[in-house]
Amino acid sequence: QVQLVQSGGEVKKPGASVKVSCKTSGYTFTNYGIIWVRQAPGQGLEWMGWINTYDGNTDSTQNFQDRVIMTTDRSTNTAYMELRNLRSDDTATYYCARSCSGGSCYSHFWGQGTLVSVSS
Amino acid sequence: DIQMTQSPSSLSASVGDRVTITCRASQGINNHLAWYQQKPGKVPNLLIYDASTLQSGVPSRFSGSGSGTDFTLTIRSLQPEDVATYYCQKYNSVRGTFGPGTKVDIK
């Protein structure tokens, strides 16, 4: 069965970086993209970016373009999202989800979420 | 970028009521719209994709309609387990923006 398993919660100081992993199984990794979505406490879902797991092509919203790096390791079927120069308002649960190879689409399969807390 | 809005932002209805949530895109997105249900502390759950296709396993009291810029999610007969926040998401391009959400409670 399709599974996306994310790394554990992190506590970071402002200005630091965080790297969240999303290990997938149960399907051909390179046939689908991965999107990253975040949710601040008590807030809605915010689409962050997408990675083509076949060729590594990425796209992200202007909110994150300068600070987010999305990568994959095809040998372990794992996607990574690194967010740099963290601020307190980056405190959120970060989700990965399986998407389409050509870009964003609907996501039936999601990771369990990774809580990232940013505090001095 | 295309913006997504939802209305209402919250609603309270009785068990058995028909509930309708509206999602509007700032530009046409054909039928490239999904609806998700998220219960507190849980991962979003896909209900509807391509505006009106029910995801396998989702109760048939949920339905979606619309095309272009205006879309609706309908819960035909609200049940206690439907208490959640509902989000629309567009995916007509690489970027998949979510609406702000509609919180549904039982009166």
Side-chain angles (χ1 to χ4, degrees):
Chain A
Q1 71 281 23
V2 175
Q3 286 191 306
L4 290 81
V5 179
Q6 298 183 222
S7 47
E10 303 260 14
V11 179
K12 296 291 183 181
K13 293 193 181 304
S17 297
V18 68
K19 191 170 186 177
V20 178
S21 68
C22 173
K23 183 168 177 58
T24 72
S25 60
Y27 70 97
T28 302
F29 183 64
T30 51
N31 283 357
Y32 297 86
I34 292 286
I35 63 168
W36 290 91
V37 176
R38 79 175 185 181
Q39 187 169 38
Q43 302 301 308
L45 302 171
E46 182 178 17
W47 192 93
M48 297 178 65
W50 162 85
I51 184 164
N52 182 321
T53 55
Y54 181 78
D55 63 12
N57 189 31
T58 64
D59 191 29
S60 57
T61 62
Q62 277 193 312
N63 277 357
F64 303 101
Q65 269 179 352
D66 295 336
R67 298 195 297 133
V68 71
I69 302 172
M70 293 173 286
T71 57
T72 62
D73 181 345
R74 289 164 58 173
S75 69
T76 60
N77 296 334
T78 302
Y80 297 91
M81 187 281 299
E82 182 178 12
L83 189 60
R84 301 186 289 185
N85 194 19
L86 289 166
R87 309 184 292 245
S88 58
D89 63 357
D90 290 318
T91 294
T93 297
Y94 291 77
Y95 295 101
C96 63
R98 195 180 80 170
S99 185
C100 295
S101 59
S104 188
C105 64
Y106 53 90
S107 296
H108 179 41
F109 298 103
W110 293 67
Q112 82 275 21
T114 297
L115 178 60
V116 175
S117 297
V118 183
S119 174
S120 54
Chain B
D1 284 354
I2 295 175
Q3 303 303 312
M4 306 299 292
T5 57
Q6 285 183 235
S7 61
S9 57
S10 66
L11 67 88
S12 189
S14 299
V15 172
D17 281 354
R18 182 184 184 92
V19 168
T20 299
I21 298 168
T22 297
C23 175
R24 178 164 290 171
S26 60
Q27 298 174 40
I29 58 171
N30 296 312
N31 69 334
H32 297 133
L33 186 100
W35 289 96
Y36 298 86
Q37 174 194 66
Q38 188 180 34
K39 298 181 179 180
K42 300 295 187 182
V43 175
N45 179 44
L46 176 67
L47 298 176
I48 303 275
Y49 61 92
D50 292 345
S52 61
T53 302
L54 193 68
Q55 172 65 27
S56 176
V58 173
S60 60
R61 63 181 180 274
F62 292 93
S63 64
S65 65
S67 184
T69 59
D70 294 318
F71 303 86
T72 59
L73 172 70
T74 299
I75 308 173
R76 189 181 66 238
S77 175
L78 186 68
Q79 299 301 305
E81 60 266 33
D82 300 335
V83 170
T85 300
Y86 294 83
Y87 297 92
C88 61
Q89 181 209 8
K90 70 95 175 171
Y91 50 89
N92 66 311
S93 65
V94 173
R95 297 179 183 177
T97 310
F98 290 93
T102 296
K103 188 174 182 181
V104 175
D105 282 329
I106 299 290
K107 196 181 293 183

